[in-house]
Amino acid sequence: MTDRHHLLVHGGTFAAVGDGGDISGVRGGSSPDGLFVRDARHLSRWQLTVDGAVPEALTPVADGDMARCVLVPRGGRQEPPAHTLFREQAVGDGSFVESLKVTSNRPVPTTVRLAVTADADFTDQFELRSDYRTYAKTGATRSRQVLDDGVEFAYQRGEWRSCTTVTAEPAPDGVEETGTGARRMVWTLDLEPHGTAELALRVMARPHGDKRALRVPRSPSALNEQLLALEGEYVQGVSFPTGWPELAAACARGLSDLASLQVPATGLDGEELRVPAAGAPWFLTLLGRDALLTSLFALPYRPQLAAATLPALAATQATAVGPESVSQPGKIVHEVRHGELAHFGQVPYGRYYGSVDATPLFLVLLGAYVEQTGDTALARRLEPNARAAIGWMLDHGGLTSRGYLVYRADQGGLANQNWKDSPGAICGADGTRASGPVMAAGAQGYAYDALRRTAWVARTVWEDETYAALLEQAASDLRDRFQQDFWMRDHSFPALALDGEGRQVDALASDAGHLLWSGLLDKEYGELVGRRLLEPDFFSGWGVRTLASGQAAYHPLSYHRGSVWPHDNALITLGLSRYGLHDEARTVAHALVDAATAAGHRLPEVLAGYGRDTHPEPVPYPHACVRESRSAAAPLALLTAVGGA
């Protein structure tokens, strides 16, 4: 992670702290700084001082589920530190807990003045992004109240109310104003010769609308034990490959990360669920596409992810046309947000439907889940939702009128609404952006698979032979059209998309590998595509690039035009295996596992596209989510595709 922020994640809560455990509240950069719950920053400053000065990190915070560091007062060789501070921090559900131990290094009694300066600005995450947008907050007020054992910060704007409570044991000797809105809690500690004193600080966040009775554990170690127990449950029972320890380690790390990335959601009947969040820090929330792909990758090993994701997405399925949210009847949600700006409609992402592929992927997961588990009850329960999703694909989605799933740029939201959703991601080889309504190749593959799998469910579970036959015919017609319209004969490769005029968008892109996963291409075409993806312009040695190098549009540090995405490569590997290209599948799998091994067995959201031949270590992408559910589940997909080979 850049900017020396260290991420602590537990469900819908995360904290980003510096090397010394402090939170500075600085805006900008690649990562937000603070304690965040439900899209709001509930702790914007958390700074420790000793005798009025900021200590230096003797042992800085390292990556892990709990932040530990060792601090000393600043000094020189001739002035050994008078005392040493041992700091531990952890996050829980809506909480942040710190244990602070100060040990004297002197043989005589000494007095130390400790202070923790705290503040909560309740800033919405969308305000912290580097897009220079500002949002009016008319009538908003902040308040601070001194408590017997700490301080409480509160925020109100109309009906929106949230607060952060900071308590300490022992209670501070005093709480001082700072002139900035922050409050400084101070302690004067008398230490015996080589003696030790301890402080326990607890932060409880109360987002708007959260009425749960939360219990905050007293110590970081207690919180960490909870998280380790949850991680253990996720790893338990999964058979890891004994002959490939690096893949086994990546799978174990990924499952542990998935355990910490579960966020609350509500099902069709109001039941409480836990579903995979997209990733931290920017997307610790339900994103339809991400949760669906994560659940698909984990399906053979942790089917409960799919069992929660499907009803959660069914509960948020659109029932009406909404231009601002890009909703249409039957469409599956792209993004769900709980923050202040979404609540007041200042960003469209409260429930935002700007995705052309979440709806077919919902159907793919439903069919795969029933096939994997035999759980026909869920397929019956979700039959109305599945039929509505099919209806969206045929009607608003464009399959009937345009022959393909199609999307249009959303001025208030996303210009591109397939997985490559950054501006300019859908382009020609020369970098020219696609114009008009776009028909992205990968989404057509998902639609084909969705039609076929739903036909199988209709026949075997719903006992509707007529509907099944109709869907099978639609799938067959889509396959024939696609290979005629998308196939670029000069390149022996499919186009990235068709533009509004039906012209081929001719960039050579990794999306072709998704067509292998979906089974949309004939065997001959599929084998050509699979082998082409392993040529040097595509394959970096750490994975398949999103765009082949040598094209004018290529850039190794572009989000979607030359980088390497683990989840993209996981789909490619599954597709290569499906088409019998097992050597190629193993090559991609080994590259990804090597990249994970170089980073503590954890795959990030995205890597730079630099080649392994000139860069013997994978080059990080500067703004990547460190913990991302699709990447965490990617090693499981590799295990499915190639086993322990």
Side-chain angles (χ1 to χ4, degrees), residues 135-176:
Y135 301 89
K137 294 186 172 185
T138 305
T141 59
R142 291 174 57 196
S143 62
R144 298 96 180 156
Q145 180 182 355
V146 176
L147 309 175
D148 290 340
D149 56 354
V151 61
E152 182 169 277
F153 302 91
Y155 177 84
Q156 183 171 353
R157 177 186 171 196
E159 73 276 15
W160 183 272
R161 295 177 176 85
S162 51
C163 72
T164 299
T165 306
V166 180
T167 58
E169 187 180 339
D173 299 324
V175 178
E176 303 172 347

Side-chain angles (χ1 to χ4, degrees), residues 78-262:
Q78 305 305 318
E79 188 181 352
H83 36 260
T84 306
L85 297 102
F86 302 88
R87 199 173 191 183
E88 292 185 346
Q89 300 164 323
V91 297
D93 188 5
S95 62
F96 174 83
V97 181
E98 173 162 332
S99 172
L100 185 59
K101 182 187 298 183
V102 54
T103 298
S104 171
N105 298 322
R106 290 178 171 171
V108 295
T110 186
T111 299
V112 179
R113 188 176 189 269
L114 291 186
V116 173
T117 302
D119 198 6
D121 63 5
F122 302 99
T123 302
D124 192 289
Q125 257 192 279
F126 283 93
E127 298 178 81
L128 297 174
R129 299 191 181 192
S130 301
D131 56 8
Y132 306 106
R133 296 185 189 183
T134 58
Y135 301 89
K137 294 186 172 185
T138 305
T141 59
R142 291 174 57 196
S143 62
R144 298 96 180 156
Q145 180 182 355
V146 176
L147 309 175
D148 290 340
D149 56 354
V151 61
E152 182 169 277
F153 302 91
Y155 177 84
Q156 183 171 353
R157 177 186 171 196
E159 73 276 15
W160 183 272
R161 295 177 176 85
S162 51
C163 72
T164 299
T165 306
V166 180
T167 58
E169 187 180 339
D173 299 324
V175 178
E176 303 172 347
E177 294 191 17
T178 63
T180 65
R183 293 295 184 266
R184 182 183 298 113
M185 297 174 290
V186 295
W187 295 262
T188 300
L189 304 176
D190 294 321
L191 301 178
E192 297 294 327
H194 297 291
T196 295
E198 294 187 43
L199 299 178
L201 298 110
R202 292 187 286 181
V203 180
M204 184 170 68
R206 286 280 186 196
H208 174 73
D210 188 355
K211 299 178 180 178
R212 296 174 298 166
L214 294 177
R215 296 183 60 186
V216 182
R218 185 178 185 277
S219 68
S221 58
L223 268 179
N224 197 47
E225 286 173 7
Q226 292 179 3
L227 185 54
L228 289 175
L230 182 61
E231 292 175 355
E233 291 177 12
Y234 267 69
V235 174
Q236 188 176 9
V238 178
S239 298
F240 298 129
T242 56
W244 194 355
E246 294 83 4
L247 176 57
C251 288
R253 177 70 269 174
L255 284 165
S256 294
D257 283 349
L258 287 176
S260 69
L261 287 169
Q262 301 301 300

Side-chain angles (χ1 to χ4, degrees), residues 384-470:
N385 304 92
R387 288 180 182 265
I390 289 288
W392 176 82
M393 290 203 309
L394 295 173
D395 185 9
H396 291 284
L399 277 183
T400 300
S401 60
R402 299 295 297 260
Y404 300 106
L405 291 186
V406 60
Y407 68 82
R408 294 162 181 80
D410 175 25
Q411 287 188 342
L414 295 172
N416 287 311
Q417 295 170 23
N418 64 322
W419 86 264
K420 289 179 175 174
D421 58 5
S422 60
I426 305 304
C427 64
D430 63 357
T432 303
R433 299 184 182 189
S435 59
V438 173
M439 292 154 276
Q444 316 315 321
Y446 306 157
Y448 171 76
D449 200 13
L451 291 166
R452 291 181 67 253
R453 288 185 184 274
T454 309
W456 176 79
V457 172
R459 179 174 288 116
T460 59
V461 181
W462 305 337
E463 298 180 346
D464 189 338
E465 177 61 38
T466 302
Y467 191 59
L470 177 115

Side-chain angles (χ1 to χ4, degrees), residues 61-81:
V61 170
D63 291 334
D65 294 327
M66 185 163 67
R68 293 185 176 93
C69 60
V70 181
L71 309 169
V72 293
R74 297 180 184 274
R77 289 176 181 269
Q78 305 305 318
E79 188 181 352

